[in-house]
Amino acid sequence: MICLYIGTNTGSCGLITAQKDPVPLKSVEVELEVRDHVATVVSTLNYENKEDKPLEAVFVLPLPGDAAVCHFSAQIGQTQIVAEVKEKQKAREEYDDALSSGQQVCLLTESDESPDIFSLCVGSLPPGESASIRLEYVTELAVQADDGLRFCLPAVLNPRYQPQGSAGAGFQVTSVPASLEPYSLSFSARVSSPRPVSKVESNCSLDPLQYLNTDQTQATVKLAAGHKFDRDVELLIYYKDAHQPTAVVEAGQASAEPGSLMGDPVVMVSLYPEFPQSVMSSTASCGEFVFLMDRSGSMGFRIKRRSLQTCIHSAKDTLLLLLKSLPMGCYFNIYSFGSRYEHIFPKSVEYSRQTMEEALKKVKKMKADLGETEILEPLKHIYSQPCILNQPRQLFVLTRGWVKNDKEVIDLVKKNSSSHRCFSFGTGENTSYIFINKISKEGGGHAQFITATDKIQPKVMQSLQFALQPSVIDISVTWDLPKEVSVTVLTPPITSILQGQRSLIYAQLTGQSSEAAEGCVTLKYSLAGHPSENQLHFSLRPAEDTGLTVHMLAARTLIRSLEMEARDNKGERDEEMKKVVEELSIQSGVSSAFTAFIAVSKSSGEAIQGPLIPPPSDFWHISAALLGQAQNYHDIHVCNFLITATESELSVKDPLLQLVSLLEASGCWLLKPALASVLGKTSKEVANLKPASASSEVWATILALIWLHGFKMDAKDEWELLAMKAASWLRAHNATCVTECVEAGNALLGCRVTKDALGL
């Protein structure tokens, strides 16, 4: 028998046999195919039974929670078995029966607790035999702040914290980096798009990008040799003209019944709404900004391996940028949470120099010392506070996100989405991708992932710019199709729109149309009192070589919506809705919470001796029983992940962040030695060139703006809001010496920045 075992006293961790031998996983092969923003991932896990008796193995796999698992098969010796999707309980019973009779059998089930966790059972692997498990899924790739598309291959199953007193409390599940296990990883990616592929980046070493055609619309890339699977593998893919709207029509499955989801064509529409410049040029100066920061023990982990900075330091840097960039006249408060929660002010206060400095002093002292990750109670307290008139609430959540009661938290965010927008930041590697994305989606905001310090600023600034945009209301989607074609929209209604961000729509097209026929989809909305619309005309002719990818993603979208609807029915799963999900899952071959993949070889073999492993539905509890002496999160995780760090390590080498930290709440800089140091000058040099008629604040502020425009234009999206705030402060002070200060500043810093470029 193989099981997940965690023992803090013995030093054993990861996947091992009952005799504490390493799990017989020999290698993992991953092939990624990206077509525009849709990824197909094929993973092959190779095993070998080195024991002298048949083996049953149970593994827990982290997969993207929004993925559509669409294929599962096994090659055991010379026998190939392909899994079918069946109702979950029937699949478990069939697995037990096959295992008892010695048949080779595999079972893949989605966790009842979370859709991003799957358990894989490999039953009756004969002595000395090898097995290859093939798992395939499709998923959409999220758009990042710099327009890159992000793909993440999780290296480990991360821990989940269950608050005391909630259902299923008292267990945790974890794993270890693959560097401590004997298996290897090979990873390759093929990228294609109607637009040229400009670059592919990764947090891991890559071989050079290889283009497959002259227009650079197809390319391949691989992980460099010698890679150790000791962290999540993150890939960022960049296209030219990334914000072009698209529509892909995919033909139905020939063998499927016409009129069914799989039998009819399905269209996937990607829209990138662009707001009028007149609205975007005037940034809002109001709002209640509530920051909720994770201070649980996991925030003491390094944000990036081989880096000194920890997640808590990254979160504090993020808070610094956010606080410095807030507009005068708004309100704010800061909450931090772990097993308990704290807030800096009893209620949100008006943003001023005094309140900002008071908040920053307390943020500076924050440590990852509040215990476990319990976010529900502080959220309840935030939502219980009355909203401030004419100050729309914007919630910013900074966390690693590993909570077990994620559904309860997500439901709470969704319930309160009419009174606020939620912007989430996943800090560090191995964050809970699905949870962080889901709370922002249900809260009408946007999610960002901070995996390295050099990428904090643009992501923070983009989210703040989104938060300062007025809320979009009266959203509607209309279709104009030939009269013989009808449309069934499969995507939940769009509830929020952000400037330049993708809005995805899946729809089933029923009826016959000519090859030359066209359709049109129109997205209408109202922004700051101005009605707007975006239109996309598209051909109804099915695209070639898409397989059934669009159908499977559409089925996954509909399945998730129906699952949520079933759960929302008075807190119980509605049996009728459950049946609909089961039928759709079986018809489409896509996983769901109510079904499982089961593959059985009809050949007979030697039965497994001894008690069977309990059904995968109880896998969380299996893990609990095997936790040994582990008492809490910290016992399990000390390993090599925690480091000690001092305040002096907080991004002191980043001059841009240093300049940001010196900005006053009002939007000006003061003439201090620290400012001169950032500018690369002495205090004497700065003072000597100051025009006599200029105040020290005006001179310092213009110098800072010139430095930003002269030396940091490649990072403009990181400081643009700060510069706008500073320019507004200068205009409000009606300084008569601006021209003279700009000329003197250029002379001092060796720049050629014009007054117009500074917004003056």
Side-chain angles (χ1 to χ4, degrees), residues 34 190-200 209 211 213 215-220 236-240:
V34 179
R190 180 187 176 103
V191 182
S192 60
S193 172
R195 301 173 294 280
V197 181
S198 57
K199 62 179 177 178
V200 176
L209 188 68
Y211 288 105
N213 54 7
D215 58 7
Q216 299 187 342
T217 58
Q218 298 180 30
T220 60
L236 292 170
I237 301 163
Y238 297 86
Y239 300 126
K240 294 180 181 176

Side-chain angles (χ1 to χ4, degrees), residues 241-319:
D241 303 320
H243 283 198
Q244 293 299 313
T246 59
V248 177
V249 177
E250 183 177 82
Q253 194 173 20
S255 59
E257 182 182 347
S260 67
L261 172 61
M262 301 305 290
D264 282 344
V266 169
V267 59
M268 176 176 63
V269 177
S270 305
L271 298 174
Y272 292 87
E274 294 291 337
F275 295 165
Q277 187 58 39
S278 58
V279 176
M280 295 306 298
S281 60
S282 57
T283 308
S285 61
C286 62
E288 179 194 6
F289 297 87
V290 181
F291 305 104
L292 180 57
M293 190 169 87
D294 190 343
R295 285 175 57 192
S296 64
S298 68
M299 293 293 285
F301 293 1
R302 287 177 246 180
I303 187 163
K304 186 179 181 183
R305 298 190 188 281
R306 296 184 296 276
S307 166
L308 287 178
Q309 193 180 46
T310 57
C311 296
I312 189 70
H313 289 154
S314 170
K316 289 160 72 170
D317 282 353
T318 302
L319 267 181

